[in-house]
């Protein structure tokens, strides 16, 4: 199974993710963007050429940085006739995308960048940063994954909280479910939460 980037799955309290997204803009200077890419706020806004709405500009997330959210769709519309054949946001043009915001309550699914055994008390608590590999211009799917080399017990952008509950995904469970062997040929799909959300409430008030 190929990497698919990040995809929202559920809330930490067990409720299903309700599909809530925010429309944003990716400016022409940013490279190709794909469904499943993790992104950050770029600090600027732009008026949509479609309806004049003021949209936040985005850039791709990087290792060690904070995360705003994950792209869940590429808007097919623009001035003139919508292009329903768009599968990814090609560089060199302003692109509008839908983003699932990575707050502390939203659980995402993703994979590791290489074969590894994730060990921990019932798996939870292992932390990793993102590897922002370019996705597929054929399928439009992201290749963002968690970087095994960035593994940390104390600080990184994403924390594993479990394994997707799917019989096809549990073949790597070993030692009474205290570790998971994820292989390159059959990567385990992990449930993760963002530990460094770019938009969050802090003790001092609204952050970033």
């Amino acid at each position: 199974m190929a990497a698919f980037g990040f995809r929202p799955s559920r809330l930490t309290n067990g409720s299903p993710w309700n599909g809530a997204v925010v429309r944003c803009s990716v400016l022409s200077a940013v490279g190709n963007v794909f469904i499943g890419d993790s992104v950050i706020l770029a600090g600027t806004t732009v008026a949509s050429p479609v309806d004049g709405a003021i949209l936040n500009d985005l850039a791709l997330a990087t290792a060690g940085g904070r995360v705003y959210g994950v792209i869940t769709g590429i808007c097919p519309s623009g001035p003139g006739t919508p292009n329903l054949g768009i599968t990814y946001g090609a560089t060199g043009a302003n692109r509008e995308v839908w983003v699932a915001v990575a707050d502390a309550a939203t659980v995402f699914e993703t994979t590791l960048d290489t074969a590894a055994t994730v060990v921990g008390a019932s798996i939870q608590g292992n932390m990793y940063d993102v590897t922002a590999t370019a996705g597929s211009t054929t399928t439009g799917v992201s290749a963002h994954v968690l970087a095994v080399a960035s593994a940390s017990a104390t600080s990184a952008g994403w924390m594993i909280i479990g394994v997707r509950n799917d019989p096809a995904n549990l073949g790597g469970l070993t030692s009474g479910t205290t570790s998971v062997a994820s292989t390159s040929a059959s990567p385990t799909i992990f449930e993760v939460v963002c530990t460094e959300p770019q938009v969050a409430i802090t003790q001092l008030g609204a952050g970033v």
Side-chain angles (χ1 to χ4, degrees):
M1 178 186 62
F4 52 80
F6 293 81
R7 59 193 182 202
S9 171
R10 61 179 178 86
L11 302 185
T12 53
N13 66 5
S15 301
W17 177 64
N18 66 3
V21 291
V22 178
R23 183 162 60 119
C24 298
S25 171
V26 181
L27 296 184
S28 59
V30 178
N32 295 340
V33 293
F34 303 88
I35 295 174
D37 279 355
S38 54
V39 292
I40 60 173
L41 293 172
T44 57
T45 59
V46 67
S48 168
V50 179
D51 58 5
I54 303 300
L55 306 178
N56 288 323
D57 293 326
L58 302 176
L60 292 172
T62 57
R66 304 180 75 177
V67 178
Y68 173 62
V70 171
I71 294 176
T72 60
I74 311 294
C75 299
S77 58
T81 304
N83 180 0
L84 299 181
I86 290 175
T87 58
Y88 71 101
T91 188
N94 282 44
R95 294 141 287 174
E96 294 184 12
V97 298
W98 287 285
V99 174
V101 175
D103 56 37
T106 305
V107 178
F108 293 82
E109 294 178 346
T110 192
T111 57
L112 304 177
D113 64 344
T114 188
T117 297
V118 178
V119 180
S122 300
I123 312 304
Q124 298 96 344
N126 295 277
M127 303 172 72
Y128 300 88
D129 282 323
V130 66
T131 293
T133 305
S136 168
T137 56
T138 300
T139 65
V141 176
S142 172
H144 283 204
V145 287
L146 300 180
V148 169
S150 69
S152 171
T154 57
S155 63
W158 296 88
M159 180 173 67
I160 291 176
I161 63 168
V163 180
R164 189 178 74 172
N165 188 17
D166 180 338
N169 188 50
L170 302 180
L173 287 174
T174 60
S175 306
T177 70
T178 59
S179 66
V180 169
S182 178
T183 67
S184 298
S186 182
T188 300
I189 298 174
F190 292 100
E191 292 188 322
V192 300
V193 292
C194 181
T195 61
E196 299 177 346
Q198 192 176 17
V199 177
I201 301 301
T202 70
Q203 290 181 332
L204 299 179
V208 192

